[in-house]
Amino acid sequence: MALPYKLLFVCLGNICRSPSAEGIMNHLIQQRGLEGQIICDSAGTSSYHVGSPPDRRMTAAAARRNITLSGQARQFELSDFEAFDLILAMDKDNYENLLYLDREGKYQHKVKLMCDFCTQHRDREVPDPYYGGEAGFNYVIDLLLDACEGLLAHVQQEIRA
Ligand code: 4NP
């Protein structure tokens, strides 16, 4: 496996869930001294919020766990299929939309549901917190902390293989 290993997190707007996954993963990577071996980015399937920073309610929930969110929303583009090693969809709609964009089915093996990597939660999707209250944003962070731990273990295995 060529380094750095490249991860792309994808949700609908790229202002709540996927920037959180990116921030949490970068936090774990830094904690474990893996900078330079794994790099992370995020994108949205929609163009609704292109150019916007992460949602302030999401940023606040992340800050309560000492995690910093950064970046500006961008829309997923077809070249991302080639550029990234693994593409993590936050929910089933995001997953289906990504597979639909891969017209020739060339990259299906790179696209996974983020919750496939959870070991402590039974959720199949990261719920969209956008129209809900603070508890929903906190839950996204807890769920993603679990998924990112599992994902990091998986990526480290891939790197060693
Ligand atoms: P995200 O959350 O996909 O986790 O960034 C959302 C952000 C915006 C909207 C929906 C979900 N929206 O409908 O504008």
Side-chain angles (χ1 to χ4, degrees):
M1 180 55 69
L3 291 181
Y5 193 99
K6 299 197 184 83
L7 295 170
L8 181 67
F9 301 100
V10 177
C11 62
L12 177 64
N14 192 210
I15 55 169
C16 296
R17 294 164 292 174
S18 61
S20 298
E22 179 186 351
I24 290 169
M25 202 64 185
N26 279 329
H27 182 82
L28 297 181
I29 288 167
Q30 213 170 29
Q31 264 186 354
R32 318 249 161 116
L34 297 170
E35 298 98 326
Q37 291 193 42
I38 305 168
I39 60 176
C40 302
D41 191 10
S42 64
T45 56
S46 78
S47 61
Y48 305 155
H49 296 278
V50 166
S52 298
D55 185 288
R56 67 167 69 82
R57 298 163 298 172
M58 196 73 254
T59 302
R64 290 191 280 274
R65 293 277 198 279
N66 255 337
I67 289 152
T68 308
L69 305 188
S70 60
Q72 289 167 347
R74 71 169 179 92
Q75 189 170 21
F76 180 86
E77 46 192 77
L78 291 178
S79 60
D80 291 325
F81 281 127
E82 197 58 51
F84 290 88
D85 296 300
L86 200 54
I87 299 169
L88 290 311
M90 297 298 126
D91 67 29
K92 290 176 187 172
D93 284 341
N94 311 146
Y95 180 82
E96 294 299 331
N97 284 326
L98 287 168
L99 291 194
Y100 178 77
L101 291 172
D102 174 25
R103 285 306 175 97
E104 294 177 13
K106 240 177 106 178
Y107 302 104
Q108 313 232 339
H109 63 285
K110 290 190 178 186
V111 185
K112 308 272 185 225
L113 273 171
M114 187 65 181
C115 285
D116 287 351
F117 296 95
C118 283
T119 63
Q120 309 298 313
H121 292 79
R122 300 179 61 103
D123 305 61
R124 301 304 303 137
E125 307 183 276
V126 183
D128 182 349
Y130 194 70
Y131 293 105
E134 189 175 298
F137 289 90
N138 291 336
Y139 190 71
V140 165
I141 296 295
D142 288 339
L143 190 56
L144 286 173
L145 277 163
D146 181 11
C148 283
E149 289 280 2
L151 176 62
L152 185 56
H154 170 80
V155 170
Q156 287 191 278
Q157 262 182 355
E158 291 270 292
I159 290 174
R160 282 189 217 104

